[in-house]
Amino acid sequence: MTVIAPILIGIAYVSLMSLIREPHRRRLNAVMVAGAGAAYLSSGGLGLWEFAFTAVVTYCAYRGLESWTFIGIGWLLHTGWDVLHHLKGSPIIPFAEHSSFGCAICDPVIALWCLTGGVSVTGYLRARLARVRPDRAAS
C-alpha cells in the first residue's frame, strides 16, 4: 500500500482535474505546483535551499500558466525534492514518517500527465465510449 496508494492518489488527482475545462485546468495546475513547491518551507529541513527550490518551482509555475511542459517539470522537480526530504528524514507531513516517499511516487504520475499536455482523461474516456457504442449496435 505504500506504493499503490500514492499512485491511486495521482490517478485520482488527474481524473478530478480532467473535469475542469481548458484553459482553467492548466492555470489551476500551475497554481497547484506552485503550492507544492512551497510545501516544505515550514520544515526548513534543507535550510536556505528550501527558498531556492521554491523560487525555481515558482518560475516553473509562472511559465506553466501558458505551458503544460513547465508544470510537468515543476512536478518532477518536486519529486526530487521529496526524495531528498525522505532521505534526510524531514517529511512533508511531520507526523507521517513516509509522506515524502509517498509524494515522490504520486508526483511523477501527475508530471507524466502534464508532460503529455494535461489531456482530459474523462473527456478521452467519454469519446472512446461514444465510438464503441455505435459499433456494438451494428453487431
Side-chain angles (χ1 to χ4, degrees), residues 69-126:
T69 301
F70 275 96
I71 298 170
I73 290 168
W75 281 114
L76 289 176
L77 289 170
H78 195 265
T79 300
W81 212 243
D82 291 327
V83 170
L84 288 174
H85 273 271
H86 176 69
L87 295 174
K88 181 147 172 56
S90 52
I92 194 166
I93 302 171
F95 55 84
E97 182 182 352
H98 298 293
S99 57
S100 290
F101 176 76
C103 201
I105 294 171
C106 176
D107 291 353
V109 173
I110 300 168
L112 180 63
W113 174 66
C114 292
L115 291 170
T116 58
V119 177
S120 174
V121 176
T122 54
Y124 173 79
L125 292 175
R126 270 187 251 133

Side-chain angles (χ1 to χ4, degrees), residues 14-88:
V14 167
S15 299
L16 289 172
M17 284 293 175
S18 291
L19 298 173
I20 301 169
R21 292 181 182 232
E22 280 288 4
H24 306 294
R25 179 171 54 246
R26 186 185 62 248
R27 292 178 184 150
L28 179 57
N29 276 277
V31 171
M32 294 298 287
V33 79
Y40 285 109
L41 272 178
S42 64
S43 77
L46 297 176
L48 292 176
W49 288 108
E50 300 287 1
F51 292 102
F53 176 74
T54 300
V56 170
V57 175
T58 299
Y59 173 77
C60 288
Y62 174 72
R63 293 291 307 271
L65 290 169
E66 300 298 328
S67 166
W68 278 105
T69 301
F70 275 96
I71 298 170
I73 290 168
W75 281 114
L76 289 176
L77 289 170
H78 195 265
T79 300
W81 212 243
D82 291 327
V83 170
L84 288 174
H85 273 271
H86 176 69
L87 295 174
K88 181 147 172 56

